[in-house]
Amino acid sequence: MCLAAIFLLLAGCSHDPSSVQVKELRLPPKVTSGSHIVRDGETLFSIAWLYSRDYKELAAINGIRSPYTIYPGQHVNLTASRYVSRSPSSKTSKPSYTPKPSVVKKAPAPVYRKPEPSSKALSWHWPAQGKVVQIYSNANGLNKGIDIRGNLGEPVSAAATGEVVYAGSELAGYGKLIIMKHNNSYLSAYAHNKELLVREGDSVKAGQKIAEIGSTGTTEPKLHFEIRHNGKPVDPMRFLPKR
């Protein structure tokens, strides 16, 4: 084997621990085909998170209604749905009557509808007090959130009021993970925890302690924090208050 080949082999074997964790968190990428067989402990929210999909879309594709209950062994179709709008016929038949002159009618009074809470209305809070050691970078799924350094056992708090929709360790690369639903559009996740202090279905207030910082699924104590809007990762720094 030539020296150049040996050098390349050794270079491929050497890496820093942080690069390994980034690789873990970037896999698998968004998947829009195939199916997923539900394992014990998984929820529709965790499966949607794993494949970077919107849980509402997966629910619609598979005919799963709220509260989105799934069962071990169930096949969840991942094929992306395509909504095709009905186009009018190319041939338009002429009316068999003589249309009457149009009458201008007074527009009805607008009906007030309570708007969906915006991200700002959620009142986001920092989930941990440590320093941000890795920023968001969604290019090729490099880092779908931020990493916050911490010490083992330090508190992890809910970044906004919501409901726990997943609490477990079935997602490879995330260790002990909590996923929270804040409204129909926003979810947040808290990874690598040492202990999980909440369960699925729990209602949690912003700032409430939900876990303890750990090193599960990683090489050092830290919190990996993500926010997703309609299934798409977004930069958490856009929502968290400045400090």
Side-chain angles (χ1 to χ4, degrees):
M1 182 182 293
C2 66
L3 291 176
I6 295 174
F7 177 80
L8 290 174
L9 180 62
L10 292 174
C13 294
S14 62
H15 51 257
D16 63 77
S18 61
S19 65
V20 176
Q21 298 310 317
V22 169
K23 186 175 181 180
E24 288 175 350
L25 290 176
R26 69 189 291 183
L27 294 175
K30 182 175 182 178
V31 176
T32 57
S33 62
S35 64
H36 177 93
I37 301 177
V38 180
R39 297 180 297 175
D40 188 37
E42 291 183 322
T43 69
L44 186 66
F45 295 90
S46 68
I47 294 171
W49 196 277
L50 180 64
Y51 296 111
S52 297
R53 299 290 295 277
D54 184 358
Y55 74 92
K56 299 187 296 295
E57 182 189 16
L58 290 187
I61 293 172
N62 292 276
I64 302 173
R65 298 182 178 181
S66 179
Y68 310 115
T69 303
I70 56 177
Y71 305 94
Q74 180 178 347
H75 287 251
V76 176
N77 185 10
L78 302 173
T79 303
S81 59
R82 295 183 178 179
Y83 299 95
V84 181
S85 59
R86 295 181 179 179
S87 57
S89 176
S90 57
K91 295 182 180 179
T92 305
S93 58
K94 295 182 179 180
S96 58
Y97 62 93
T98 302
K100 295 181 180 180
S102 59
V103 179
V104 177
K105 294 183 179 180
K106 193 174 182 180
V111 178
Y112 174 76
R113 294 181 180 179
K114 187 177 181 180
E116 172 78 15
S118 65
S119 61
K120 292 183 179 180
L122 290 172
S123 184
W124 295 93
H125 299 259
W126 280 87
Q129 296 301 316
K131 179 181 178 181
V132 175
V133 293
Q134 189 167 11
I135 62 174
Y136 168 89
S137 176
N138 200 30
N140 297 321
L142 184 60
N143 191 15
K144 297 178 180 178
I146 59 174
D147 292 346
I148 304 174
R149 180 178 295 156
N151 297 315
L152 287 174
E154 288 183 342
V156 174
S157 304
T161 297
E163 176 189 353
V164 177
V165 293
Y166 176 79
S169 55
E170 282 74 26
L171 274 70
Y174 285 90
K176 292 184 178 181
L177 172 70
I178 292 173
I179 300 177
M180 288 187 59
K181 175 186 176 186
H182 303 291
N183 55 32
N184 289 333
S185 300
Y186 284 92
L187 299 174
S188 64
Y190 314 75
H192 306 316
N193 300 290
K194 177 184 176 184
E195 297 292 340
L196 305 182
L197 306 180
V198 291
R199 298 179 296 178
E200 290 171 24
D202 286 353
S203 295
V204 178
K205 294 182 178 180
Q208 179 178 333
K209 183 178 178 180
I210 58 175
E212 295 179 353
I213 286 181
S215 57
T216 57
T218 186
T219 57
E220 59 183 355
K222 64 180 179 181
L223 173 68
H224 176 77
F225 175 67
E226 295 184 24
I227 296 178
R228 297 198 183 182
H229 178 246
N230 293 330
K232 182 180 178 180
V234 294
D235 186 357
M237 301 296 284
R238 291 169 41 200
F239 304 90
L240 298 174
K242 294 182 179 181
R243 65 178 188 181

